[in-house]
Amino acid sequence: MAGFTFSPHPVTCDGVSPAALAAAEGTPLYVYSAALIVDRYRALDAALGAYPHRVHYALKANSTLGIVRLLQSAGSAVDANSGGEVAVARRAGVDPRDIVFTGVGKTAAELEEAVCIGVGAINAESAGEVDRIDRIATARGVRARVAVRINPGIEADSHPGIVTGGPEHKFGVPIEDAGAVCRDAAGRPGLALVGVHAHVGSQLTSLDAVARTASTMARFAQDLRDAGVALEHVDLGGGLGISYDGSPALAVAEYARTLVEAVAPTGLTLLVEPGRWIVGPAGALVATVVDVKPQRDGRYFVVLDAGMSELLRPALYGARHRLERLNERSGPTVTCDVVGPICETTDVIRLGQSMPLPEVGDLLLVRDAGAYGSAMASNYNRRALPAEALVEGGAWRMIRRRQTVEDLLACES
Ligand code: LLP
């Protein structure tokens, strides 16, 4: 099995020591297993079987160029959520026809670019956007390929910050209005309506919302076709969750079977946009302990050189990522609140971690940080973005050098 091995100690990533890597490149440092990323892409692709389908990796999970190139060479298409992600995809060699372009607020310039290069589908979010795409395409004398993003009104069971399919959410066209919007799009001279799209949330860990979304969308697509609207695909978005605590998560085979069973009666190509499931477990964040101090109640603060600016998920969603020690320490197990260096009380990495007390200079590894880790890193407190290393074939190479303060100031005067 490719990826990280945590026991027995020492921790390794495909035969490479993250501790040695950190010694060479410094911390905070993201480390990824190329083999595991490719294995997971292939596992999902294989789980979808012989049914016509395409996996569009969701760049928002991690769009570091080296990772996008890796997935592109493995055969993946992409889901881009901004002009920036479209540009990264193209730099990585992704054919424009392999891009679906999603996004709740696409600018005129982003739409122009998408129409111009001829992306596989622009997932239109509203009747207004359908109209704007049609005008751009008509002015250029082309037909833009669009899908309509539908909000099916399905509340998924996940963190409230990452569910998107309920009536109160800003995403897509409410399903009640979507038939009219799709029929309108299908009749426009500048548009080819090629699909329907839905994404009801991320980190989904039960089949219920997945199954309801898939069958609702399949039925919707069939009704459209019965009304004489030709379609090519049904895009069911991303969302397949991973296990952050080691307990069993939704199995990829079951997820894939549920999607295929729902869509198969339509005969339409199935598109999926997974992000987290592909890269999440394949990446980790390595950080150095910079301070250790006792609290009044017997607990300790363990302060790292990485915090919410490197990994925002614990601060933003209360996410709990497992921690591994890269240095052996004996001694009694104590309770540690592992925190970052930022001037914010929410700047935590993991509260209440039981472990032998680390020493300043020790290394800790934060697991399952490959998705929405480096992609959500920021320069808050003028912190430079961390370096990123890709382990491949028993060796490692830097796919992103550590940012410098000079890089930050280059944009300012
Ligand atoms: N497609 C669309 C239209 C999306 O909005 C998303 C995620 C995906 C695909 C990929 O979803 P995934 O397979 O990765 O669940 N920052 C949050 C996650 C936000 C997800 C936003 N949309 C986190 O760290 O948990």
Side-chain angles (χ1 to χ4, degrees), residues 47-71:
L48 292 165
Y51 189 76
H53 69 269
R54 195 76 207 273
V55 175
H56 285 254
Y57 167 64
L59 293 169
K60 60 172 73 70
N62 189 320
S63 60
T64 303
L65 192 55
I67 287 176
V68 186
R69 283 209 169 113
L70 183 69
L71 282 164

Side-chain angles (χ1 to χ4, degrees), residues 7 25 83 129 168 235 239 275-276 296 323 334 373 389-390:
S7 66
E25 293 295 337
E129 192 170 274
E168 71 280 27
D235 180 345
R276 186 191 320 264
R296 311 254 331 239
L323 283 184
V334 293
L390 186 67

Side-chain angles (χ1 to χ4, degrees), residues 20-34:
L21 226 167
E25 293 295 337
T27 59
L29 175 72
Y30 275 96
V31 180
Y32 306 99
S33 159

Side-chain angles (χ1 to χ4, degrees), residues 172-341:
V173 179
I175 192 153
E176 299 75 18
D177 307 332
V181 173
C182 288
R183 286 191 298 275
D184 171 55
R188 301 263 187 155
L191 304 181
L193 180 70
V194 293
V196 288
H197 173 243
H199 169 83
V200 297
S202 194
Q203 185 54 16
L204 306 177
T205 50
S206 81
L207 263 190
D208 178 56
V210 171
R212 280 191 291 140
T213 305
S215 57
T216 303
M217 293 298 292
R219 212 176 315 118
F220 182 88
Q222 195 53 53
D223 288 349
L224 267 184
R225 297 171 87 205
D226 293 346
V229 176
L231 294 174
E232 295 175 16
H233 72 246
V234 177
D235 180 345
L236 293 176
L240 178 56
I242 61 171
S243 174
Y244 283 100
D245 64 4
S247 62
L250 181 50
V252 65
E254 221 180 334
Y255 169 79
R257 192 180 336 110
T258 303
L259 300 188
V260 169
E261 275 175 12
V263 174
T266 69
L268 295 169
T269 299
L270 167 64
L271 266 49
V272 287
E273 303 169 349
R276 186 191 320 264
W277 194 84
I278 290 180
V279 291
L285 173 63
V286 183
T288 302
V289 175
V290 294
D291 199 11
V292 177
K293 57 184 172 185
Q295 303 182 38
R296 311 254 331 239
D297 61 357
R299 298 160 77 102
Y300 289 85
F301 284 118
V302 172
V303 187
L304 302 182
D305 65 353
M308 66 194 290
S309 47
E310 286 70 32
L311 181 66
L312 183 58
R313 306 193 69 260
L316 192 58
Y317 314 113
R320 291 171 68 79
H321 287 250
R322 284 170 288 179
L323 283 184
E324 302 288 340
R325 293 171 295 123
L326 299 186
N327 306 81
E328 283 302 337
R329 292 280 165 225
S330 49
T333 295
V334 293
T335 305
C336 299
D337 290 328
V338 181
V339 300

